[in-house]
Amino acid sequence: MLKQPASKYASFKPVHLSDRTWPDVVLTQAPIWLSTDLRDGNQALIEPMDIERKLRMFQMLVKIGFKEIEVGFPSASQIEFDFVRQLIDGNLIPDDVTIQVLMQAREPLIRRTFESLQGAQRAIVHLYNATAPVMRRVVLGMDEDGIVELAVANARLFRELAAQQPATRWTFQYSPEMFSGTELEFSRRVVDAVTEVWQPTPQHKCIVNLPSTVEHSTPNIFADMMEWMHRHLARRDSIVLSVHPHNDRGTGTAAGEFALMAGADRIEGCLFGNGERTGNLDLVNVALNLYTQGVSPGLDFSEIDEIRRTVEHCNQLPVHPRHPYVGDLVYTSFSGSHQDAIKKAFAARREGDVWDMPYLPIDPKDLGRSYEAVIRVNSQSGKGGIAYLLESEFGLDLPRRLQVEFSHAVQAVMDASGKELTAHDLWQMFEREYGVKTIAAPRYQVTEPAHGAASQGVALVADLDLAGRPLKIQGRGTGPIDAFIQGLSRATGQGVRVLDYRQHSVGAGADARAVAYMELRINEERTLFGVGMDANIVTASLKAVVCGMQRAGVLAVPEDRENAAPSGPARAISAAV
């Protein structure tokens, strides 16, 4: 790279539009949309679409709701010509959809194009010729007068050929190619000369399309160019002003949105930004940007993954996983702080609330996405993401301190493996860590105090099987759980205190289970959680106590207590790794 790039690259000159108005404009309605996936997008493919793929793309665009679709360049090849004929002859164009075709300002190409459209109910015929100084000087070898005469002569040919097919409702469109690199005064001159020939009216408008064929400037300068043209074009009330941004600087979306603010009525682009070089404007991006501002785009992306699969099939190109709104990872948070904020916001949200969620500018469900991929766990994740996945996929509502405790176990595994953990992976770790499947339910009998002897409390007798070694428990307390803990303390010689107790149900009907979370203080030295699951809430609670004491390594038959192997986090993590 050059140390002084100014010696090779000239900065783009700004437009002197000191009274510009577009920065204060708020977009409150959708533009006219034109999909050029079948033309501009198709010509940019490594392997252009065959007719089967073109038809599949066309049908999808219709389903999405596009009313104007550029279907090809029929003078360019036989397959392009045949596809246009198939749409017309097969009566495949809905009554409310207008097809558009493109042609250069060359008489044989124009005649061939009009031939391809015979019998069409309505059509937009799109004429273009290059206007930029570099094209005039280097490619065409023409001065400004020559460029204007070229455009005007072919505009006349449009009128002549359209008059020969009066059954078709024609709309004429003109693009000064490389408008983004053309002097504004000359752009106006050539456009005004073309519309002078066509004589559009407010009842039957023509389309003037201003392309950033190559994106040379920052989006604000392009918006100034659009506003200048919007103000100065002749017959403006009889023109649909259109814009066709490219993405060479990576700011195509901004340029397109600014152009709409600056006076454009219509916008051309492709789904997910396919197109020459770095691509055309991404129509999905602009449409859903409007949607997130409360403006209906008039296009239906409620099955965005199906749309993406169709586009990938037809274009034979992948959509990037970080592509706005549609990529596999665009609604996914790995960061622990992000996950915690999302989890809390979901918990606080009520049906009908205005969407105001951290890190999620749009509700994935509006686009047919589930919340499954919103939070995923890797080494950057925290307790919030882990808790969210266990709750959303398995119904576990972990107390906050249990979230912290379990996240340490998960983090140890992540640090060792470096791989992403799915919700199923987390559930398997949780099962191992808290013995959800392995802890046997105590067999117990509860005796309520005799009438008038409430001060004696509840009596409980239980048998606990510890790997084939029975443990007899007898206790009395304010309830079954308290009685069990008192008896277990005496039987094991361990001091046990309940610091916190939570329970909730998982599932419904015959499959419903109770989940109990017990935060225990063991011998006034260790604090940790036990978890129990069972169809009976009391049994689930007793299992939670047993779980906690086993994880502390203190629950064993008295004479074997010194040889008892710990079953806490270290063992669970080792097993997980």
Side-chain angles (χ1 to χ4, degrees):
M1 294 180 66
L2 301 174
K3 292 184 178 179
Q4 299 294 333
S7 65
K8 185 174 183 179
Y9 300 99
S11 62
F12 196 87
K13 292 180 173 58
V15 179
H16 297 294
L17 196 69
S18 58
D19 60 341
R20 62 182 61 84
T21 62
W22 66 263
D24 295 323
V25 172
V26 176
L27 298 176
T28 58
Q29 63 182 24
I32 300 168
W33 305 102
L34 181 283
S35 162
T36 186
D37 289 89
L38 290 165
R39 197 280 300 172
D40 204 347
N42 185 54
Q43 74 183 40
L45 299 178
I46 300 168
E47 182 179 332
M49 292 180 241
D50 56 21
I51 285 184
E52 180 274 327
R53 283 185 165 86
K54 285 176 76 78
L55 183 57
R56 182 172 174 181
M57 177 73 83
F58 178 79
Q59 291 170 336
M60 183 193 65
L61 293 169
V62 169
K63 183 179 178 182
I64 290 170
F66 285 96
K67 303 305 179 187
E68 296 184 2
I69 301 172
E70 192 166 51
V71 295
F73 203 142
S75 63
S77 70
Q78 190 63 43
I79 191 172
E80 294 284 289
F81 186 97
D82 290 345
F83 179 65
V84 175
R85 291 311 316 161
Q86 180 172 340
L87 291 177
I88 297 170
D89 294 337
N91 197 29
L92 301 176
I93 306 168
D95 291 341
D96 62 346
V97 172
T98 302
I99 60 171
Q100 175 173 306
V101 292
L102 178 75
M103 68 214 81
Q104 293 168 297
R106 293 169 55 189
E107 181 175 347
L109 304 184
I110 295 172
R111 292 187 180 278
R112 177 69 167 165
T113 301
F114 273 86
E115 179 187 348
S116 75
L117 292 168
Q118 288 181 2
Q121 292 185 37
R122 64 177 63 83
I124 301 169
V125 279
H126 182 185
L127 174 70
Y128 78 94
N129 63 284
T131 57
V134 66
M135 298 296 287
R136 301 195 306 257
R137 183 179 67 252
V138 177
V139 179
L140 300 175
M142 301 173 72
D143 60 12
E144 291 186 5
D145 292 341
I147 294 293
V148 173
E149 179 53 36
L150 176 67
V152 166
N154 287 284
R156 292 194 190 102
L157 183 59
F158 263 45
R159 293 197 64 172
E160 174 189 327
L161 295 176
Q164 296 173 12
Q165 299 183 47
T168 300
R169 180 172 176 82
W170 300 100
T171 299
F172 297 158
Q173 174 171 329
Y174 176 68
S175 290
E177 189 197 12
M178 296 190 70
F179 164 78
S180 51
T182 303
E183 311 94 322
L184 286 175
E185 290 286 355
F186 183 60
S187 291
R188 179 180 65 173
R189 178 187 172 193
V190 69
V191 169
D192 284 352
V194 168
T195 61
E196 174 68 22
V197 172
W198 286 344
Q199 288 296 305
T201 67
Q203 292 74 38
H204 191 185
K205 298 181 179 183
C206 72
I207 301 169
V208 171
N209 184 58
L210 303 178
S212 60
T213 309
V214 178
E215 191 179 32
H216 291 298
S217 69
T218 53
N220 62 301
I221 293 178
F222 186 69
D224 284 348
M225 296 172 69
M226 288 297 301
E227 182 165 343
W228 192 95
M229 292 291 283
H230 169 61
R231 293 186 190 183
H232 291 91
L233 284 178
R235 292 168 283 277
R236 179 63 183 91
D237 63 346
S238 300
I239 290 172
V240 174
L241 188 59
S242 180
V243 63
H244 181 111
H246 276 250
N247 197 43
D248 299 272
R249 292 171 56 94
T251 57
T253 295
E257 291 179 329
F258 285 3
L260 294 175
M261 294 161 62
D265 310 301
R266 180 178 183 266
I267 196 161
E268 298 189 349
C270 293
L271 300 180
F272 313 130
N274 181 46
E276 297 277 18
R277 305 180 307 280
T278 57
N280 292 301
L281 172 87
D282 179 358
L283 294 179
V284 182
N285 200 347
V286 177
L288 292 179
N289 284 354
L290 286 172
Y291 183 82
T292 63
Q293 301 304 303
V295 178
S296 173
L299 301 174
D300 183 3
F301 296 109
S302 58
E303 295 294 338
I304 200 165
D305 287 335
E306 178 185 344
I307 294 169
R308 182 191 64 192
R309 286 190 292 269
T310 299
V311 170
E312 289 179 329
H313 168 78
C314 294
N315 291 343
Q316 301 183 71
L317 291 172
V319 174
H320 195 280
R322 298 290 184 191
H323 197 99
Y325 295 112
V326 69
D328 282 335
L329 298 177
V330 296
Y331 306 113
T332 302
S333 288
F334 290 103
S335 162
S337 60
H338 291 195
Q339 293 172 348
D340 187 58
I342 291 170
K343 178 180 182 295
K344 290 174 179 174
F346 268 123
R349 177 173 167 75
R350 297 294 177 264
E351 189 66 32
D353 287 353
V354 170
W355 186 258
D356 185 19
M357 297 288 289
Y359 309 111
L360 289 172
I362 193 172
D363 186 347
K365 283 194 173 180
D366 288 356
L367 306 181
R369 288 278 183 91
S370 71
Y371 292 139
E372 179 180 355
V374 169
I375 290 177
R376 290 164 62 174
V377 174
N378 65 11
S379 59
Q380 302 300 309
S381 306
K383 64 184 186 304
I386 295 166
Y388 174 84
L389 289 179
L390 289 176
E391 180 176 3
S392 61
E393 297 298 312
F394 299 100
L396 298 184
D397 185 10
L398 305 187
R400 185 180 182 280
R401 288 190 294 276
L402 176 54
Q403 295 176 27
V404 174
E405 180 184 279
F406 181 55
S407 69
H408 293 321
V410 174
Q411 191 65 47
V413 173
M414 289 304 313
D415 289 343
S417 69
K419 297 180 180 178
E420 180 187 353
L421 293 179
T422 66
H424 183 69
D425 295 331
L426 293 172
W427 171 242
Q428 288 186 322
M429 288 185 63
F430 190 83
E431 283 184 323
R432 286 193 293 265
E433 180 72 18
Y434 296 98
V436 173
K437 290 184 176 179
T438 58
I439 292 177
R443 298 180 299 279
Y444 62 93
Q445 182 177 356
V446 177
T447 304
E448 297 290 337
H451 182 69
S455 61
Q456 297 179 10
V458 169
L460 178 141
V461 177
D463 293 303
L464 188 60
D465 184 10
L466 298 173
R469 292 178 177 270
L471 181 63
K472 191 76 171 181
I473 299 169
Q474 293 180 321
R476 187 179 294 274
T478 57
I481 299 172
D482 185 39
F484 183 71
I485 288 175
Q486 299 304 326
L488 194 58
S489 295
R490 282 198 298 273
T492 61
Q494 306 295 322
V496 183
R497 215 162 32 94
V498 177
L499 301 182
D500 190 29
Y501 170 69
R502 308 277 183 87
Q503 60 85 17
H504 65 82
S505 62
V506 175
D511 296 327
R513 292 181 297 166
V515 184
Y517 309 106
M518 200 79 68
E519 186 176 19
L520 304 175
R521 182 73 170 168
I522 311 294
N523 293 327
E524 299 302 327
E525 296 175 353
R526 294 190 62 186
T527 300
L528 76 172
F529 275 85
V531 179
M533 300 182 70
D534 196 86
N536 181 281
I537 183 57
V538 174
T539 304
S541 301
L542 302 188
K543 289 172 73 172
V545 175
V546 174
C547 168
M549 294 191 71
Q550 284 188 337
R551 293 184 67 243
V554 298
L555 184 54
V557 178
E559 56 267 31
D560 280 357
R561 198 175 300 134
E562 292 182 2
N563 298 321
S567 58
R571 190 178 74 173
I573 293 169
S574 176
V577 174

